[in-house]
């Protein structure tokens, strides 16, 4: 493919489409025309209402004002995810966005904590994490001197509207219409244009497929297979439901394990997003709806909506002159809130790789390789939550515990068990600290630790831990209540 890109056509709106339009309109203004085609008659999945910290980088790239964005999307802050009943029916833990303890060049903090536990020092690993303790205390605050690491809960439909206004103000042209046909050049196999039901023809040089699970464009230009991951991630359904607030918004997402899946709870300023992810092999749709409705608090403000999906990825997210983003490129269930992040990281990757002239074949191969590595790392992280569980009461969880897992994940688990070590792979979104928090939370206790920590006496170790815990407690004590802070932070526009 020769690079002569003057016109970018985005098929589909929603979060993925308007994130793409926003990025291109900011960085290719005056260089390329950006057109987005969508239809008001087609709804969006719209349940990706929780995010992870890199979204703040995306907003900085776009010079988005945080308070303005939070008012527009009715957002709250997120410090992590609380996992209720995942390890076993009566055990809970939080995977936070913070780093625990202090870093040391030769080994990570968990090694000091493991030795302390072996010496009989009473403490929990999470006692030494600022963000985790703030989440438990339902506190939050930001300032110019703040070092707290966070993300957001947001209203996905409002977020798309916000980014639409942002994009159109920067020259993006929106065309209303249904895609009737994708015109392919018979010689090159490239997309030439989109033909709409109105009869309009939308030509372009580069096409971005943001049409969700329908994947209207990418399926026309690639013969690469869809890699099905449902043998590792069994869930293939989700029920989504919105309710009124029944209490103050807390600064973390709740993920509650059920016999045949798990339930999410995402508090916003104006309502709560609820959902239930499950497998149709183990539970019927009507039963799933009933289970969700009976579990939520507050009054319902929307009808339950069943969404079908298949977990996996397209081996080639970029083929010919078409790039699939969001659900069109694949899907990993929303357990760790990665859907919006994957759109963002793909856009950043695309902009970094796109050359000004020449062939794009090698660029497409590198893009696909990087994207696939990122997805595999996320896949393994999600499988970890399921595979290491002590829930013996249902076939769903027993099957997860007994299944074969990818060799890449098997290695991580064995390494942690044998040495207490976690690591980061190239381009990985979840840092080693996240793996440590989840592996400990799911009940993996390493048999050994780095011997270098044995050079520290018990009294010195206790003094070190006490100092860290005291600093964390003092920092958390200074924070305001999360709900109070959000109301004040988003109360009025800046003068």
């Amino acid at each position: 493919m020769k690079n002569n890109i003057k016109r970018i056509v985005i098929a589909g709106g929603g979060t993925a489409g308007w994130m793409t339009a926003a990025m291109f309109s900011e960085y290719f203004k005056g260089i390329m025309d950006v057109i987005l085609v969508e239809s008001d008659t087609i709804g969006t999945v719209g349940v990706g209402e929780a995010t992870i910290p890199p979204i703040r980088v995306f907003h900085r790239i776009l010079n988005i004002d945080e308070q303005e964005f939070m008012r527009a999307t009715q957002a709250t802050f997120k410090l992590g995810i609380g996992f209720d009943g995942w390890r076993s029916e009566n055990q809970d833990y939080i995977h936070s966005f913070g780093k625990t303890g202090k870093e040391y060049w030769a080994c990570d903090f968990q090694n000091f904590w493991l030795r302390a536990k072996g010496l009989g020092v009473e403490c929990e690993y999470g006692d030494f994490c600022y963000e985790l303790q703030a989440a438990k205390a339902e506190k939050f605050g930001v300032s110019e001197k703040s070092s707290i690491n966070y993300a957001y809960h947001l209203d996905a439909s409002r977020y798309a509207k916000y980014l639409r206004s942002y994009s159109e103000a920067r020259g993006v042209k929106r065309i209303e219409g249904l895609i009737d046909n994708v015109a392919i050049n018979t010689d090159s196999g490239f997309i030439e244009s989109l033909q709409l039901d109105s009869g309009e023809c939308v030509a372009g040089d580069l096409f971005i497929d943001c049409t969700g699970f329908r994947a209207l464009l990418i399926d026309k230009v690639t013969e690469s297979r869809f890699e099905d991951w449902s043998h590792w991630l069994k869930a293939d359904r989700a029920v989504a439901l919105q309710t009124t607030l029944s209490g103050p918004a807390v600064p973390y997402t709740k993920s509650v394990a059920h016999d045949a899946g798990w339930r999410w709870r995402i508090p916003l300023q104006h309502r709560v997003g609820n959902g239930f992810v499950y497998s149709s092999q183990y539970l019927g749709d009507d039963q799933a709806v009933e289970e969700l409705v009976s579990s939520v608090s507050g009054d319902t403000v929307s009808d339950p909506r069943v969404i079908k999906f298949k977990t996996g990825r397209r081996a080639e997210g970029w083929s010919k002159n078409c790039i699939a983003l969001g659900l069109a490129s694949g899907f990993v269930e929303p357990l760790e809130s990665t859907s919006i992040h994957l759109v963002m990281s793909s856009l950043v990757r695309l902009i970094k790789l796109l050359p000004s002239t020449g062939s794009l074949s090698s660029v497409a191969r590198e893009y696909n390789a990087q994207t696939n590595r990122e997805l595999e790392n996320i896949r393994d992280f999600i499988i970890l939550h399921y595979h290491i569980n002590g829930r013996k009461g249902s076939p769903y969880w027993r099957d997860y515990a007994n299944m074969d897992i990818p060799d890449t994940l098997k290695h991580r688990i064995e390494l942690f068990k044998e040495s207490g070590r976690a690591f980061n792979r190239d381009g990985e979104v979840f840092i080693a600290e996240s793996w440590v928090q989840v592996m400990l939370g799911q009940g993996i206790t390493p048999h050994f630790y780095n011997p270098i920590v044995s050079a520290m006496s018990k009294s010195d170790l206790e003094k070190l831990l006490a100092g860290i815990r005291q600093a964390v407690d003092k920092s958390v004590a200074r924070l305001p209540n999360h709900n109070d802070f959000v109301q004040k932070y988003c109360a009025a526009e800046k003068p």
Side-chain angles (χ1 to χ4, degrees):
M1 173 182 175
K2 292 296 182 180
N3 179 23
N4 187 25
I5 301 171
K6 297 297 182 184
R7 204 172 203 230
I8 295 173
V9 177
I10 304 165
T15 304
W18 286 111
M19 285 181 73
T20 304
M23 183 71 93
F24 285 161
S25 65
E26 176 69 12
Y27 284 93
F28 294 135
K29 187 177 182 180
I31 302 172
M32 302 176 190
D33 294 330
V34 181
I35 298 168
L36 186 143
V37 178
E38 69 172 340
S39 173
D40 289 333
T41 64
I42 297 178
T44 59
V45 173
V47 298
E49 299 190 315
T51 61
I52 55 179
I55 192 174
R56 292 163 55 208
V57 177
F58 179 70
H59 287 177
R60 284 198 293 271
I61 289 172
L62 298 180
N63 296 308
I64 285 175
D65 178 85
E66 182 173 77
Q67 289 167 282
E68 177 189 83
F69 145 76
M70 291 189 70
R71 281 191 293 269
T73 63
Q74 290 292 288
T76 59
F77 295 100
K78 176 185 173 184
L79 292 170
I81 304 175
F83 289 93
D84 294 3
W86 279 76
R87 177 175 177 177
S88 66
E89 283 82 349
N90 300 312
Q91 291 182 299
D92 308 331
Y93 71 94
I94 291 177
H95 166 214
S96 77
F97 297 140
K99 286 193 173 183
T100 304
K102 291 185 177 180
E103 293 184 85
Y104 182 60
W105 73 269
C107 63
D108 295 322
F109 177 76
Q110 67 267 19
N111 291 273
F112 294 91
W113 176 78
L114 286 166
R115 180 165 186 261
K117 292 285 284 184
L119 293 172
V121 179
E122 290 297 323
C123 57
E124 296 296 328
Y125 184 72
D127 292 348
F128 308 96
C129 179
Y130 175 37
E131 286 81 358
L132 194 151
Q133 292 304 312
K136 288 176 67 174
E138 299 181 11
K139 290 189 168 188
F140 186 87
V142 292
S143 66
E144 290 183 359
K145 298 181 180 180
S146 174
S147 61
I148 199 164
N149 194 26
Y150 63 91
Y152 310 102
H153 302 126
L154 54 83
D155 184 319
S157 61
R158 292 188 182 212
Y159 188 49
K161 290 176 182 177
Y162 177 78
L163 292 177
R164 174 180 171 178
S165 296
Y166 176 99
S167 303
E168 290 182 324
R170 286 160 176 78
V172 173
K173 180 182 178 183
R174 178 189 181 273
I175 298 177
E176 166 69 26
L178 291 166
I179 298 172
D180 223 15
N181 185 49
V182 180
I184 305 293
N185 183 291
T186 55
D187 294 327
S188 66
F190 293 175
I191 299 175
E192 292 186 333
S193 64
L194 307 181
Q195 297 172 0
L196 309 185
D197 60 342
S198 64
E200 185 174 359
C201 181
V202 183
D205 303 309
L206 186 69
F207 291 81
I208 313 296
D209 189 345
C210 297
T211 61
F213 290 127
R214 295 170 298 145
L216 295 179
L217 276 60
I218 193 68
D219 279 345
K220 299 290 193 300
V221 296
T222 182
E223 296 178 357
S224 67
R225 61 190 176 87
F226 181 88
E227 296 181 7
D228 188 343
W229 290 344
S230 58
H231 55 295
W232 287 318
L233 294 167
K234 303 177 187 302
D236 60 358
R237 299 281 196 282
V239 184
L241 174 67
Q242 298 169 5
T243 58
T244 58
L245 289 165
S246 58
V250 298
Y252 59 92
T253 303
K254 242 192 168 181
S255 173
V256 182
H258 286 239
D259 284 347
W262 61 274
R263 171 171 53 89
W264 77 72
R265 186 179 189 277
I266 300 173
L268 308 179
Q269 293 180 43
H270 62 310
R271 62 166 173 80
V272 175
N274 307 275
F276 182 42
V277 176
Y278 61 100
S279 169
S280 59
Q281 288 181 284
Y282 301 82
L283 192 69
D285 292 345
D286 291 341
Q287 293 172 289
V289 170
E290 183 179 343
E291 192 160 339
L292 176 61
V293 171
S294 65
S295 300
V296 300
S297 56
D299 299 326
T300 59
V301 294
S302 68
D303 294 327
R305 182 164 55 108
V306 176
I307 303 161
K308 298 179 181 180
F309 60 82
K310 180 185 288 187
T311 300
R313 67 162 182 220
R314 298 178 188 281
E316 293 183 357
W318 183 341
S319 181
K320 305 293 195 308
N321 64 336
C322 179
I323 302 163
L325 294 183
L327 301 178
S329 66
F331 184 71
V332 179
E333 66 173 76
L335 182 61
E336 284 283 357
S337 312
T338 53
S339 294
I340 290 176
H341 168 77
L342 285 168
V343 177
M344 182 205 77
S345 63
S346 295
L347 286 170
V348 171
R349 184 176 299 122
L350 172 60
I351 287 177
K352 285 183 175 181
L353 286 172
L354 200 63
S356 59
T357 59
S359 173
L360 293 183
S361 300
S362 60
V363 172
R365 286 196 299 272
E366 181 60 25
Y367 173 92
N368 289 332
Q370 291 185 20
T371 301
N372 288 344
R373 283 196 299 271
E374 181 179 41
L375 280 167
E376 287 168 5
N377 291 334
I378 291 173
R379 176 203 66 193
D380 286 1
F381 191 58
I382 302 301
I383 295 172
L384 169 68
H385 297 64
Y386 282 107
H387 181 60
I388 306 298
N389 80 83
R391 296 180 61 95
K392 307 298 183 183
S394 72
Y396 182 77
W397 294 97
R398 287 199 302 270
D399 288 349
Y400 266 119
N402 295 327
M403 74 178 184
D404 290 329
I405 59 175
D407 290 340
T408 46
L409 175 58
K410 190 179 298 182
H411 170 67
R412 282 188 189 265
I413 293 172
E414 290 174 352
L415 181 67
F416 190 68
K417 284 181 177 178
E418 293 174 4
S419 70
R421 184 168 186 269
F423 60 89
N424 297 327
R425 289 198 175 102
D426 182 43
E428 191 163 22
V429 61
F430 292 109
I431 61 174
E433 172 64 24
S434 289
W435 285 86
V436 172
Q437 287 192 31
V438 173
M439 285 194 280
L440 290 174
Q442 291 294 131
I444 303 176
T445 301
H447 303 310
F448 306 100
Y449 49 81
N450 193 312
I452 200 168
V453 301
S454 299
M456 182 177 287
S457 68
K458 181 181 179 181
S459 60
D460 285 344
L461 182 58
E462 287 179 315
K463 189 182 296 183
L464 170 70
L465 297 182
I468 296 171
R469 181 155 51 182
Q470 185 179 42
V472 167
D473 291 345
K474 282 185 176 179
S475 296
V476 172
R478 288 194 292 265
L479 289 173
N481 172 269
H482 168 257
N483 197 63
D484 293 344
F485 180 81
V486 169
Q487 291 182 10
K488 183 177 180 181
Y489 195 64
C490 301
E493 294 185 14
K494 294 187 295 186

